[in-house]
């Protein structure tokens, strides 16, 4: 019998499912250490506390190093050698002791200031090695301060019992590290449906809610909650009535899911026989098991940048080749579309020292980065080309804004082909190379791009954010993020027409492809392929099977005269409900 009062927090559900459990609030603890004056007589005690904290920190780093060496490999654990050097850095330690004696303030305050200055000086020197050391100092400082303040230094992977993770924000690189056997669900104060953190949650099958504003402050570790990833709710101390209602909901959802599993071996073909390729989006090679289980027709978008995140060094050509081949083999006889590196925006790799930008989504991202870091780009292109020798690999460039970028990328690709030919290394000479259409300029000039590609894949997540000027991560303006905005429909239509005029196929790999309310719209617009998160594939397949081309064409005719996103969405919803009410 629950006694404490039930309390609800409303956010946005971004990954379906219901979880019940104990909260762990993750706070990266960048906050300022408390400060207080001390007496001369307290100085020895402060020094002793500092020494104890250094010893404890050293022990924690060694322990973590060993854990990572066992789970990922000695090479990745090497990153902690630099952390150990910080704990033993005499220049840093001596300056802390000198400043402590001079300023007579508590040691956490002194240490935070001295280490902060030290890191700042290093980060301003134009030397990648020293800038990297600045990051190490920042990490270790946090840990030492935790130890000084008597808090347990916890990171995301250090909680050994199942929990629901609550954080102000999680970077996609944090989410990629979550252990799905321990993290029952997660929720964040910020974020929205098409952030890569949300996309990753769906891939990992972890129920998630974002945009909760201040849940990370209101909730405490140890609270008992129910998280509803369908409706974006967190319920603290759920009452018996609430638990019963959710029990019923889970039974219903399980029944629907079970019915859908029977679709695995069936084709995504409409009632009147039009086949739409229904493939899956993946982030890591390990996702292929889900692709198979959900009956997807290969991989329509492989977000390769996740292979680069959380690594201390850039992946080599061999490592990438092995991953791409593994995916291609698992996808066979279907194909896999490997997207070249899309770093930047909300995905960063610390080794690359990408500068902090005011508008990262409008900045040095994806193909823009690759065209400058040709070394990084060529390593990946060679790996993709080599994986194409198996025959079922296609490749596409992200964030193409115009034909110049496409040509420059293709020149580099051609160089890689020439190198491999000269080395006698096999690859497919006929690998299809496509462009993502995710910038309005690309959609508007799709007829120009169509002359130089084999296919288009529309990245609606970015296309919407750039067309409506609505940051895809920002929960405050999430209501403006409207896939059915008439402008978006026009851009999709232009892209499809440009592709079909040259007999090219065109897919949609943004989150719109997995939204079954929009399936009639995309089919009506003439899209040939849909690539969605693996977990959404069965529902989309069922939706395609229940639709017919005439109904989709009628929908397009009916929305011609509608002028708002809401009105168009309502019309799509009506068609969806008429054809597959059980899924909605
Ligand atoms: C998109 O923008 O729609 C897309 C598929 O790419 P990403 O979500 O990785 O930016
Ligand atoms: Mg994109």
């Amino acid at each position: 019998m629950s006694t404490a009062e039930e309390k609800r927090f409303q956010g946005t559900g971004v990954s379906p499912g219901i979880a019940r459990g104990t909260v762990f609030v993750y706070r990266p603890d960048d906050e300022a250490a408390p400060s207080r004056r001390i007496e001369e007589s307290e100085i020895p005690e402060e020094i002793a506390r500092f020494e104890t904290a250094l010893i404890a920190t050293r022990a924690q780093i060694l322990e973590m190093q060993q854990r990572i060496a066992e789970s990922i490999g000695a090479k990745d654990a090497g990153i902690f050698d630099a952390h150990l050097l910080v704990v033993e850095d005499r220049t840093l330690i001596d300056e802390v002791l000198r400043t402590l004696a001079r300023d007579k303030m508590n040691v956490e305050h002194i240490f935070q200031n001295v280490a902060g200055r030290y890191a700042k000086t290093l980060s301003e020197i134009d030397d990648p090695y020293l800038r990297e050391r600045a990051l190490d100092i920042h990490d270790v400082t946090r840990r030492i301060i935790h130890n000084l303040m008597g808090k347990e230094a916890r990171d995301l992977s250090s909680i050994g019992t199942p929990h629901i993770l609550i954080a102000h924000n999680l970077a996609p690189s944090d989410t990629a590290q979550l252990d799905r056997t321990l993290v029952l669900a997660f929720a964040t104060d910020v974020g929205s449906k098409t952030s890569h953190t949300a996309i990753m949650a769906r891939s990992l099958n972890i129920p998630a809610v974002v945009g909760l504003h201040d849940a990370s402050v209101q909730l405490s570790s140890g609270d008992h909650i129910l998280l509803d990833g369908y409706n974006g709710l967190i319920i603290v101390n759920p009452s018996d009535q609430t638990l019963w209602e959710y029990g019923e909901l889970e039974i219903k959802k399980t029944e629907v899911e079970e019915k859908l599993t029977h679709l695995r071996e069936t084709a995504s073909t409409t009632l009147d026989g039009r086949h739409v390729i229904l493939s899956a989006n993946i982030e890591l090679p390990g996702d292929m098991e889900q692709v198979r289980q959900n009956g997807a027709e290969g991989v329509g978008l492989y977000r390769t940048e996740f292979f680069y995140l959380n690594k201390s060094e850039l992946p080599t050509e061999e490592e990438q080749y092995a991953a791409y081949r593994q995916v291609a083999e698992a996808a066979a006889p279907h194909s896999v579309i490997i997207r070249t590196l899309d770093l930047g925006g909300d995905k960063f790799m610390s080794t690359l020292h990408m500068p902090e930008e005011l508008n990262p989504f409008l900045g040095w991202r994806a193909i823009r980065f690759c065209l400058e870091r040709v070394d990084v780009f060529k390593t990946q292109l060679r790996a993709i080309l080599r994986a194409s020798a198996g025959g079922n690999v296609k490749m596409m460039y992200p964030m193409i804004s115009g034909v110049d970028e496409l040509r420059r990328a293709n020149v580099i690709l051609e160089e890689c082909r020439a190198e491999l030919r000269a080395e006698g290394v096999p690859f497919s000479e006929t690998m299809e190379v496509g462009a993502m259409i995710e910038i309005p300029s690309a959609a508007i000039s799709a007829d120009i791009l169509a002359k130089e590609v084999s296919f288009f894949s529309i990245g609606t997540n970015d296309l919407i954010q750039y067309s409506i000027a609505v940051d895809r991560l920002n929960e405050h303006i999430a209501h403006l993020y409207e896939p059915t905005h008439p402008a978006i429909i026009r851009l999709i239509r232009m892209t499809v027409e440009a592709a079909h005029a040259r007999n090219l196929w065109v897919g949609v790999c943004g989150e719109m492809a997995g939204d079954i309310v929009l399936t009639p719209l995309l089919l009506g617009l003439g899209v040939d392929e849909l690539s969605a998160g693996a977990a959404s594939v069965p529902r989309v397949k069922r939706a395609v099977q229940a639709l017919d081309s005439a109904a989709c064409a009628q929908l397009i005719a009916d929305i011609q005269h509608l002028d708002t996103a809401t009105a168009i969405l309502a019309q799509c919803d009506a068609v969806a409900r008429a054809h597959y009410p059980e899924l909605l």
Side-chain angles (χ1 to χ4, degrees):
M1 177 82 177
S2 314
T3 48
E5 204 181 323
E6 175 174 304
K7 188 169 174 197
R8 293 179 177 228
F9 293 86
Q10 181 69 57
T12 307
V14 295
S15 181
I18 292 157
R20 238 168 309 168
T22 309
V23 163
F24 169 68
V25 182
Y26 171 62
R27 297 199 176 95
D29 294 308
D30 274 331
E31 74 263 26
S35 65
R36 71 178 174 89
R37 295 229 155 266
I38 57 165
E39 300 297 327
E40 182 88 35
S41 59
E42 289 178 86
I43 292 177
E45 197 187 316
E46 289 299 285
I47 295 176
R49 285 180 56 226
F50 185 43
E51 282 169 353
T52 311
L54 290 177
I55 292 168
T57 306
R58 190 167 188 281
Q60 285 162 357
I61 297 172
L62 284 170
E63 195 265 326
M64 218 158 41
Q65 188 169 39
Q66 189 171 351
R67 191 153 38 88
I68 303 263
E70 280 162 13
S71 59
I72 310 180
K75 203 161 135 227
D76 288 290
I79 187 177
F80 292 106
D81 289 339
H83 288 197
L84 286 171
L85 289 179
V86 177
V87 193
E88 290 157 7
D89 188 330
R90 255 348 297 180
T91 321
L92 176 65
I93 295 172
D94 287 345
E95 189 170 344
V96 171
L97 298 182
R98 267 199 309 278
T99 318
L100 178 68
R102 189 191 64 207
D103 293 356
K104 300 196 186 58
M105 300 283 289
N106 60 318
V107 72
E108 39 278 78
H109 172 74
I110 299 281
F111 175 67
Q112 193 169 56
N113 284 346
V114 172
R117 271 203 308 275
Y118 207 74
K120 184 163 187 286
T121 312
L122 290 181
S123 69
E124 285 167 358
I125 300 172
D126 189 17
D127 176 313
Y129 175 78
L130 294 178
R131 280 204 301 265
E132 188 69 16
R133 296 290 71 76
L135 291 177
D136 294 333
I137 292 179
H138 188 69
D139 264 18
V140 179
T141 304
R142 247 171 44 192
R143 201 167 278 280
I144 294 175
I145 288 181
H146 260 237
N147 285 324
L148 276 168
M149 292 166 63
K151 287 191 207 168
E152 204 185 326
R154 295 176 113 173
D155 58 41
L156 276 174
S157 55
S158 69
I159 316 141
T161 50
H163 58 279
I164 296 178
L165 178 67
I166 310 284
H168 176 67
N169 191 14
L170 289 176
S173 53
D174 293 327
T175 317
Q177 287 187 76
L178 297 180
D179 178 344
R180 64 187 101 172
T181 60
L182 293 176
V183 182
L184 304 172
F186 75 78
T188 57
D189 295 342
V190 299
S192 66
K193 224 170 186 142
T194 56
S195 69
H196 285 100
T197 290
I199 290 171
M200 197 71 204
R202 292 193 280 277
S203 264
L204 293 169
N205 262 332
I206 299 182
V209 176
V210 303
L212 284 157
H213 303 292
D214 61 354
S216 74
V217 180
Q218 302 258 1
L219 292 169
S220 308
S221 293
D223 284 349
H224 291 284
I225 65 167
L226 183 149
L227 181 145
D228 170 359
Y230 299 106
N231 301 302
L233 260 182
I234 279 193
I235 307 175
V236 187
N237 302 320
S239 67
D240 290 344
Q241 172 66 21
T242 302
L243 290 174
W244 181 81
E245 284 167 10
Y246 272 94
E248 293 292 295
L249 179 67
E250 272 176 299
I251 294 170
K252 255 195 230 144
K253 294 279 180 196
T254 315
E255 276 170 17
V256 175
E257 298 301 318
E258 265 167 20
K259 279 196 194 130
L260 291 175
T261 57
H262 300 308
L263 298 178
R264 190 182 306 159
E265 310 301 332
T266 66
S268 43
T269 304
T270 59
L271 289 170
D272 58 316
R274 173 178 162 206
H275 181 65
V276 180
I277 297 170
L278 176 53
S279 46
N281 297 347
I282 65 162
E283 279 75 48
L284 292 165
D287 297 340
M288 287 309 291
E289 178 51 25
Q290 272 214 67
V291 173
R292 193 194 58 78
Q293 274 175 8
N294 287 295
E297 210 174 320
V299 174
L301 165 65
Y302 175 6
R303 292 184 165 98
T304 54
E305 55 280 0
F306 280 85
F307 196 64
Y308 289 63
L309 305 180
N310 301 315
K311 289 219 163 56
S312 53
E313 281 167 41
L314 282 165
T316 62
E317 180 182 318
E318 278 315 306
E319 283 169 330
Q320 293 188 56
Y321 168 61
Y324 303 156
R325 241 192 87 164
Q326 183 188 338
V327 170
E329 278 168 9
H334 306 303
S335 62
V336 46
I337 304 179
I338 303 182
R339 172 174 78 185
T340 63
L341 197 53
D342 184 10
L343 282 175
D346 59 351
K347 292 169 290 196
F348 296 97
M349 186 189 180
S350 60
T351 328
L352 283 169
H353 303 293
M354 295 172 77
E356 264 193 34
E357 297 175 311
L358 272 181
N359 292 303
F361 273 109
L362 298 180
W364 201 36
R365 185 186 165 191
I367 197 72
R368 302 166 179 188
F369 166 84
C370 288
L371 290 175
E372 279 188 42
R373 285 297 305 265
V374 176
D375 55 329
V376 177
F377 196 29
K378 280 182 90 170
T379 306
Q380 181 176 43
L381 293 178
R382 285 177 55 102
I384 297 173
L385 281 168
R386 286 173 57 194
S388 76
N392 62 333
V393 170
K394 304 177 192 214
M395 185 186 95
M396 64 184 176
Y397 304 118
M399 289 284 290
I400 290 291
S401 64
V403 78
D404 268 342
E405 271 169 339
L406 176 65
R407 287 182 186 153
R408 285 174 62 204
N410 276 337
V411 166
I412 299 171
L413 179 66
E414 200 41 57
E415 272 173 40
C416 295
R417 287 195 183 112
E419 282 172 18
L420 292 174
R421 268 183 221 116
E423 293 163 24
V425 178
F427 65 93
S428 161
E429 294 278 357
T430 53
M431 177 179 74
E432 285 186 35
V433 178
M436 286 191 72
I437 301 294
E438 46 185 355
I439 300 184
S441 58
I444 296 165
S445 58
D447 56 328
I448 303 174
L449 294 169
K451 295 177 191 154
E452 305 188 25
V453 292
S454 303
F455 65 92
F456 287 143
S457 185
I458 307 177
T460 49
N461 303 338
D462 279 315
L463 187 63
I464 297 168
Q465 87 160 339
Y466 296 132
S467 304
I468 313 182
V470 48
D471 178 349
R472 67 192 263 192
L473 303 183
N474 188 334
E475 71 281 7
H476 294 295
I477 45 170
H479 59 286
L480 296 175
Y481 190 95
E482 294 177 312
T484 51
H485 191 298
I488 302 300
I489 293 169
R490 288 182 194 181
L491 291 171
I492 296 176
R493 187 202 299 274
M494 286 173 93
T495 307
V496 172
E497 283 173 359
H500 288 178
R502 299 194 71 88
N503 286 325
L504 306 181
W505 64 268
V506 53
V508 170
C509 63
E511 296 303 298
M512 267 178 94
D515 184 343
I516 50 170
V517 172
L518 304 179
T519 312
L521 175 73
L522 295 177
L523 295 198
L525 287 169
V527 166
D528 305 291
E529 180 233 31
L530 297 171
S531 190
S536 310
V537 164
R539 288 157 59 81
V540 178
K541 191 183 274 186
R542 174 76 199 104
V544 171
Q545 290 173 346
L547 285 164
D548 64 82
S549 304
C552 300
Q554 186 58 48
L555 169 68
I556 300 302
D558 291 344
I559 61 172
Q560 292 304 329
H561 68 280
L562 298 179
D563 47 16
T564 67
T566 317
I568 297 174
L569 180 61
Q571 203 80 10
C572 296
D573 194 57
V575 177
R577 277 182 199 283
H579 290 82
Y580 35 90
E582 76 286 2
L583 294 183
L584 297 155

